[in-house]
């Protein structure tokens, strides 16, 4: 067994410390708090007191536990969430733990992967049992009329966070065996955790001081340090705890579940523990998870106001100081799934259709389209869409756009918008400015391109462009071709932008190529043949 003794002054394990108050003497103290009045002289010799009737207030005396008058104590459940059960002393049945339930010595508490229990002892100490933990209460005793409480528990696996309030007049004993034992004197805030196999115990001291003992070696661990103790091994020398992380880049509003929590990297942190509670003291803990990468991801909670706290974990497994902040979750009703256009779509139709999935509980949808990523100046903002689709009626100018959509329900109101999706409306194909025809050539001209742009030109015999006569790309805003035979032809042009994005072809434009000879000449040809 490895022993960890938390103390502000060193005491023997079988004793407790009492601070003399005005009016106290050894006789009335022994009568009120010890099992026999005959122990007064032994108490006098143990503490080397000259006059048992006159002891200066503030004097601290040692009191063996075996001499103390004891009565059973109790622990009250002040908060419980998730899967948490208790097996009563001597029983076999697991009973769900509920708020304000009283627990006693011999009771065994088991929390599931989402279970959290906070116990309050008679001396106002708090034992916070984390998720996936099993702990047995061995002793809950009150000594005499002092209000001093002796608490001992076996942590088989999991984690506990413990706070023993500072009381100048009461020196309560608080001990946890894990395969380690932790005894707290006063004014101490500490955490005890074990590895999954229970072979390693992690002790982290946030306030106060602890004495860690194992295999005949004892070390003192001060505030701000921790120690790692392996089974059947000596405790490590004190290791400085990591500082609290910087939450300046961590937002307060979250609109997606599970949460994605940005965090500035903490130097020397190999992982992070994230906890979310309804209260600032984190008594009512709802979510607890670890992450080895950033951003932190996890936590599925209802919409509402919460407190978030984060601490880093070093390479030894010790967790450091934590930083906390209030947050708000507003993730419901969730935005619908987008069907079209998807991210980075190229929309050659300047009157595109937007589509999304629908749910029966959604009353209507909000849709925003903007050329600003922050949607500060929306091009379109439709607030009452009942159908899961929307067609733009006013053509969108060429450019890059962002769009997003939100759901509205009767019970949850307006939900968060979806993540913005980009799409692009390329430059449409230009129309002809002029057509010049001479006996040998025909030249088509259109508006010039912007720097970096060029054109795709097609000239065909049919409107469907199945019989294409010329297919070419050019950086010039004109094309010169050999004059074709007379007849009807079709041409179209599209713009290719500098990054390769191609717009739509212009509408097919009709070109009538006249004959090189006047029509009346063809009427005279038969007559010329007769004459010849």
């Amino acid at each position: 067994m490895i022993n960890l003794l938390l103390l502000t002054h060193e005491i023997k394990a079988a004793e407790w410390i009492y601070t003399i108050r005005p009016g106290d003497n050894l006789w009335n103290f022994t009568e009120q708090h010890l099992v026999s009045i005959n122990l007064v002289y032994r108490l006098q010799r143990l503490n080397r007191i000259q006059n048992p009737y006159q002891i200066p207030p503030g004097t601290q005396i040692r009191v063996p536990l075996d001499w103390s008058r004891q009565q059973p104590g109790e622990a009250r459940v002040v908060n419980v969430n998730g899967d948490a059960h208790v097996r009563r002393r001597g029983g076999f049945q697991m009973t769900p733990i509920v708020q304000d339930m009283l627990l006693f010595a011999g009771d065994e508490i088991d929390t599931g992967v989402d279970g959290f229990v906070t116990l309050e002892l008679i001396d106002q100490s708090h034992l916070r049992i984390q998720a996936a933990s099993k702990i047995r209460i061995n002793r809950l005793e009150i000594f005499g009329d002092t209000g001093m409480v002796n608490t001992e528990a076996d942590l088989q696996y999991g984690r506990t966070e413990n706070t023993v309030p500072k009381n100048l007049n009461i020196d309560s004993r608080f001990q946890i065996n894990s395969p380690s034992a932790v005894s707290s004197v006063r004014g101490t805030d500490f955490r005890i955790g074990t590895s999954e196999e229970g072979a390693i115990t992690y002790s982290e001291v946030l306030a106060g001081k602890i004495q860690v003992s194992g295999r005949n070696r004892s070390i003192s661990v001060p505030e701000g340090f921790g120690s790692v103790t392996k089974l059947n091994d000596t405790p490590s020398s004190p290791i400085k705890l990591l500082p609290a992380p910087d939450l300046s880049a961590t937002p307060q509003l979250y609109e997606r579940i599970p949460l994605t929590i940005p965090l500035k990297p903490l130097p020397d942190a190999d992982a992070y523990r994230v906890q979310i509670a309804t209260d600032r003291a984190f008594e009512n803990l709802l979510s607890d998870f670890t992450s080895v990468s950033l951003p932190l991801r996890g936590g599925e909670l209802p919409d509402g106001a919460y407190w978030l706290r984060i601490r880093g974990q070093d390479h030894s497994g010790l967790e450091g100081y934590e930083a906390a902040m209030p947050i708000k979750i507003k993730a419901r009703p969730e935005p619908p799934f987008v069907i079209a256009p998807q991210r980075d779509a190229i929309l050659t139709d300047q009157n595109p259709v937007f589509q999304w999935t629908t749910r029966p509980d959604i009353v209507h949808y909000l849709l925003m389209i903007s050329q600003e990523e922050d949607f500060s100046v929306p091009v379109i903002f439709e607030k009452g869409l009942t159908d899961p689709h929307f067609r733009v009626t006013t053509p969108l100018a060429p450019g890059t756009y962002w769009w997003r959509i939100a759901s509205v329900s009767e019970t949850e109101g307006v939900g968060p918008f979806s993540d913005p999706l980009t799409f692009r409306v390329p430059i449409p194909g230009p129309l002809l400015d002029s057509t010049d025809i001479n006996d040998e050539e025909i030249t088509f001209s259109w508006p010039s391109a912007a720097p970096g742009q060029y054109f795709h030109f097609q000239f065909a015999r049919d409107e469907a462009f199945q019989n294409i006569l010329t297919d070419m790309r050019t950086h010039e805003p004109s094309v010169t071709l050999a004059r074709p035979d007379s007849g009807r032809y079709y041409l179209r042009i599209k713009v290719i932008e500098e990054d390769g994005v191609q717009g739509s072809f212009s509408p097919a434009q009709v070109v009538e190529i006249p004959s090189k000879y006047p029509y009346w000449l063809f009427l005279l040809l038969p007559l010329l043949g007769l004459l010849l």
Side-chain angles (χ1 to χ4, degrees):
M1 177 67 68
I2 304 166
N3 296 313
L4 289 81
L5 182 65
L6 276 85
L7 67 165
T8 53
H9 49 271
E10 189 169 349
I11 62 173
K12 295 182 178 179
E15 297 176 345
W16 57 284
I17 299 298
Y18 178 79
T19 303
I20 296 296
R21 306 172 187 177
D24 283 343
N25 59 58
L26 286 192
W27 287 96
N28 61 25
F29 174 82
T30 302
E31 182 179 16
Q32 292 177 18
H33 306 307
L34 303 188
V35 295
S36 172
I37 194 66
N38 297 326
L39 293 170
V40 66
Y41 296 110
R42 296 175 64 182
L43 189 64
Q44 182 181 3
R45 288 193 299 272
L46 177 66
N47 290 279
R48 300 178 182 179
I49 294 175
Q50 296 295 324
N51 187 344
Y53 293 98
Q54 294 182 354
I55 307 175
T59 300
Q60 293 183 333
I61 62 173
R62 296 160 51 193
V63 185
L65 295 180
D66 293 343
W67 298 359
S68 305
R69 188 155 46 84
Q70 303 174 15
Q71 57 180 321
E74 60 193 30
R76 184 174 67 89
V77 177
V78 293
N79 278 298
V80 59
N81 283 293
D83 180 19
H85 292 77
V86 60
R87 179 185 287 113
R88 295 296 189 178
R89 179 176 183 177
F92 297 97
Q93 184 178 359
M94 298 296 290
T95 303
I97 296 176
V98 297
Q99 192 87 8
D100 293 323
M101 176 183 280
L102 297 181
L103 302 180
F104 306 93
D107 290 347
E108 184 178 85
I109 301 164
D110 195 338
T111 59
V113 293
D114 63 344
F116 305 95
V117 178
T118 299
L119 304 182
E120 184 177 78
L121 310 181
I122 295 175
D123 63 352
Q124 306 304 306
S125 296
H126 280 191
L127 173 64
R128 303 177 188 90
I129 304 167
Q130 308 297 288
S133 300
K134 179 177 283 189
I135 189 168
R136 184 180 185 275
I137 301 174
N138 291 338
R139 304 181 71 173
L140 277 176
E141 301 165 336
I142 304 172
F143 292 137
D145 298 327
T146 63
M148 189 277 232
V149 176
N150 182 31
T151 303
E152 179 184 334
D154 284 341
L155 177 63
Q156 299 179 33
Y157 56 80
R159 288 186 62 89
T160 68
E161 299 182 2
N162 316 281
T163 302
V164 180
K166 186 174 182 179
N167 189 320
L168 296 177
N169 298 314
I170 298 176
D171 291 276
S172 292
R173 296 171 53 82
F174 194 104
Q175 177 172 300
I176 297 180
N177 312 313
S178 62
S180 303
V182 179
S183 297
S184 168
V185 182
R186 57 171 96 156
T188 302
D189 190 358
F190 63 98
R191 302 188 293 249
I192 302 298
T194 66
S195 61
E196 291 183 3
E197 306 81 12
I200 305 176
T201 296
Y202 305 94
S203 306
E204 301 143 7
V205 185
L206 305 179
K209 181 172 143 182
I210 70 172
Q211 194 75 17
V212 182
S213 302
R215 293 199 65 184
N216 300 321
R217 183 182 180 225
S218 181
I219 66 167
S220 179
V221 183
E223 177 179 319
F225 287 78
S227 180
V228 179
T229 308
K230 296 181 179 180
L231 189 64
N232 300 322
D233 200 357
T234 57
S236 70
S237 298
I239 301 170
K240 187 173 180 61
L241 299 180
L242 293 177
D246 181 359
L247 300 185
S248 61
T250 304
Q252 292 185 293
L253 177 63
Y254 295 86
E255 297 182 327
R256 295 291 181 275
I257 294 295
L259 305 182
T260 298
I261 305 171
L263 179 71
K264 288 186 175 180
L266 179 64
D268 300 322
D270 288 354
Y272 301 87
R273 181 175 292 274
V274 181
Q275 295 180 325
I276 303 174
T278 59
D279 61 310
R280 189 171 189 172
F282 285 80
E283 299 288 354
N284 191 24
L285 192 62
L286 299 181
S287 181
D288 184 340
F289 61 92
T290 57
S291 176
V292 297
S293 61
L294 296 176
L296 309 167
R297 289 184 171 88
E300 298 196 22
L301 299 170
D303 289 357
Y306 299 94
W307 277 86
L308 165 73
R309 70 181 180 188
I310 305 172
R311 54 181 178 257
Q313 184 182 91
D314 65 18
H315 67 279
S316 69
L318 289 172
E319 297 181 4
Y321 283 96
E322 56 211 10
M325 64 183 294
I327 63 170
K328 183 178 181 181
I329 298 176
K330 183 64 178 78
R332 299 167 182 88
E334 297 179 12
F337 291 105
V338 169
I339 298 176
Q342 293 289 333
R343 186 181 304 277
D344 298 328
I346 304 297
L347 306 184
T348 56
D349 184 354
Q350 291 182 286
N351 299 95
V353 176
F354 294 79
Q355 295 175 284
W356 54 89
T357 60
T358 186
R359 296 199 331 243
D361 60 317
I362 301 303
V363 178
H364 60 267
Y365 302 92
L366 309 179
L367 181 142
M368 294 184 73
I369 302 173
S370 177
Q371 289 193 285
E372 307 294 332
E373 190 172 3
D374 61 358
F375 291 85
S376 56
V377 184
V379 175
I380 294 175
F381 189 5
E382 292 290 334
K383 300 181 180 180
L385 298 173
T386 55
D387 294 324
H389 53 80
F390 170 74
R391 176 177 285 279
V392 175
T393 56
T394 301
L396 296 176
T400 298
Y401 292 82
W402 284 263
W403 81 285
R404 62 185 183 179
I405 189 166
S407 301
V408 182
S409 73
E410 291 184 354
T411 57
E412 297 169 314
V414 180
F417 277 97
S418 61
D419 294 333
L421 297 175
T422 59
F423 67 90
R424 190 162 169 180
V425 177
I427 298 173
L431 299 178
L432 290 178
D433 276 344
S434 64
T435 302
D436 296 323
I437 304 175
N438 59 36
D439 290 344
E440 303 298 329
E441 298 177 328
I442 182 169
T443 300
F444 303 106
S445 301
W446 55 86
S448 299
Q453 296 176 349
Y454 57 102
F455 305 97
H456 186 181
F457 174 86
Q458 288 184 339
F459 186 67
R461 191 66 181 176
D462 62 311
E463 189 174 6
F465 286 83
Q466 297 297 313
N467 184 14
I468 297 177
L469 303 177
T470 301
D471 189 332
M472 62 181 295
R473 298 190 178 193
T474 177
H475 287 79
E476 299 299 326
S478 63
V479 168
T480 298
L481 306 175
R483 177 173 175 156
D485 295 336
S486 62
R488 174 170 294 182
Y489 296 84
Y490 300 85
L491 66 83
R492 61 185 184 181
I493 311 163
K494 69 178 175 182
V495 176
I496 302 175
E497 300 191 40
E498 187 174 14
D499 59 1
V501 172
Q502 301 186 24
S504 59
F505 275 108
S506 63
Q509 300 173 69
V510 180
V511 179
E512 296 285 352
I513 305 297
S515 173
K516 292 182 180 181
Y517 307 100
Y519 74 94
W520 52 265
L521 183 60
F522 291 96
L523 297 177
L524 294 176
L525 286 177
L527 296 176
L528 291 174
L530 292 175
L531 294 174
L532 295 175

